[in-house]
Amino acid sequence: MANVILGIGSRVRHPEYGVGVVINFKSDIYIITFVEIGTKNIKVDYPFEILEVVEPANDMVSLFDVERNLSKILQRWMDASEIVPLGERWKGGKMILQPARRDLQPKEVPIDVFFHKIVMMRDRLRVLEQRVNASNMDDEEKVNIQQYITRCYGSMTTFNILFKEPQHYFSGEKMVEA
């Protein structure tokens, strides 16, 4: 069974579920409709009895895999923001900007509004970085612009105190993704 890849339409017998037909597959499961109990997800390495093998199409990518990968690509290259939580102690708080001159009014800004703007700036810096990397500029120009972007991140580290989770912090060093 380990070396056989079942295509859509293959028939199998499961010891518990009975006879079924493969209706779809993903990288690690077959989606099989069984006569007696309906549709189940079964791991590809499950040792069921193969009644009839239908060769898989050359295109081994399921719609689910395409949607998942397309979604990842769009999130990476769009200006879409991820949800970044504000630190608990700042929720509902406000910033007060007090001018040195007493005849001027202070300005109050809700921290969550300010935080949202900080996150938007970080996301836009990331998009700028991606666009620079994907551009047709020569390598020296890319490096120069990357250095400016890195310095911008470094200037924003003051605001790390607002973030709930350290993985969202600004860093003045080039971050390497795993």
Side-chain angles (χ1 to χ4, degrees), residues 17 23 29-34 37-42:
Y17 304 138
I23 61 167
I29 63 167
Y30 290 117
I31 302 170
I32 302 173
T33 298
F34 293 96
I37 60 148
T39 303
K40 293 282 185 184
N41 293 343
I42 307 292

Side-chain angles (χ1 to χ4, degrees), residues 32-88:
I32 302 173
T33 298
F34 293 96
V35 176
E36 301 293 322
I37 60 148
T39 303
K40 293 282 185 184
N41 293 343
I42 307 292
K43 291 212 172 275
V44 294
D45 57 357
Y46 187 85
F48 43 69
E49 179 186 353
I50 300 171
L51 302 176
E52 179 184 348
V53 175
V54 173
E55 292 297 320
N58 291 337
D59 179 356
M60 292 291 289
V61 179
S62 71
L63 180 58
F64 171 81
D65 292 331
V66 171
E67 287 175 352
R68 182 183 57 202
N69 290 326
L70 182 58
S71 183
K72 285 180 184 177
I73 291 167
L74 290 174
Q75 286 174 355
R76 182 172 178 192
W77 292 99
M78 284 181 31
D79 289 340
S81 297
E82 65 178 309
I83 296 172
V84 178
L86 176 64
E88 292 296 323

Side-chain angles (χ1 to χ4, degrees):
M1 172 67 199
N3 294 337
V4 177
I5 299 174
L6 302 175
I8 294 173
S10 296
R11 293 178 354 119
V12 298
R13 183 184 324 267
H14 189 280
E16 185 178 341
Y17 304 138
V19 175
V21 176
V22 175
I23 61 167
N24 203 349
F25 54 87
K26 298 179 184 175
S27 58
D28 60 342
I29 63 167
Y30 290 117
I31 302 170
I32 302 173
T33 298
F34 293 96
V35 176
E36 301 293 322
I37 60 148
T39 303
K40 293 282 185 184
N41 293 343
I42 307 292
K43 291 212 172 275
V44 294
D45 57 357
Y46 187 85
F48 43 69
E49 179 186 353
I50 300 171
L51 302 176
E52 179 184 348
V53 175
V54 173
E55 292 297 320
N58 291 337
D59 179 356
M60 292 291 289
V61 179
S62 71
L63 180 58
F64 171 81
D65 292 331
V66 171
E67 287 175 352
R68 182 183 57 202
N69 290 326
L70 182 58
S71 183
K72 285 180 184 177
I73 291 167
L74 290 174
Q75 286 174 355
R76 182 172 178 192
W77 292 99
M78 284 181 31
D79 289 340
S81 297
E82 65 178 309
I83 296 172
V84 178
L86 176 64
E88 292 296 323
R89 69 181 178 168
W90 304 111
K91 288 185 179 177
K94 61 184 171 184
M95 277 186 359
I96 301 171
L97 303 174
Q98 181 72 52
R101 289 181 26 200
R102 296 287 178 204
D103 61 326
L104 297 174
Q105 292 288 329
K107 171 77 174 168
E108 291 186 7
V109 179
I111 288 182
D112 60 334
V113 171
F114 181 72
F115 179 70
H116 177 69
K117 292 181 185 295
I118 296 293
V119 171
M120 286 175 37
M121 178 170 297
R122 185 199 62 177
D123 291 346
R124 289 184 177 138
L125 281 171
R126 287 180 177 173
V127 171
L128 176 61
E129 193 171 24
Q130 291 167 347
R131 289 186 178 168
V132 166
N133 288 335
S135 75
N136 293 330
M137 288 186 238
D138 64 42
D139 288 343
E140 184 178 349
E141 263 184 291
K142 284 183 184 182
V143 168
N144 288 336
I145 292 174
Q146 282 291 350
Q147 288 175 346
Y148 282 109
I149 293 170
T150 300
R151 284 186 231 135
C152 289
Y153 282 128
S155 299
M156 303 296 286
T157 59
T158 301
F159 303 112
N160 285 346
I161 192 171
L162 298 172
F163 291 91
K164 181 176 184 178
E165 299 162 355
Q167 76 235 26
H168 297 296
Y169 285 2
F170 287 100
S171 172
E173 299 173 5
K174 179 72 178 160
M175 300 295 285
V176 178
E177 292 185 19

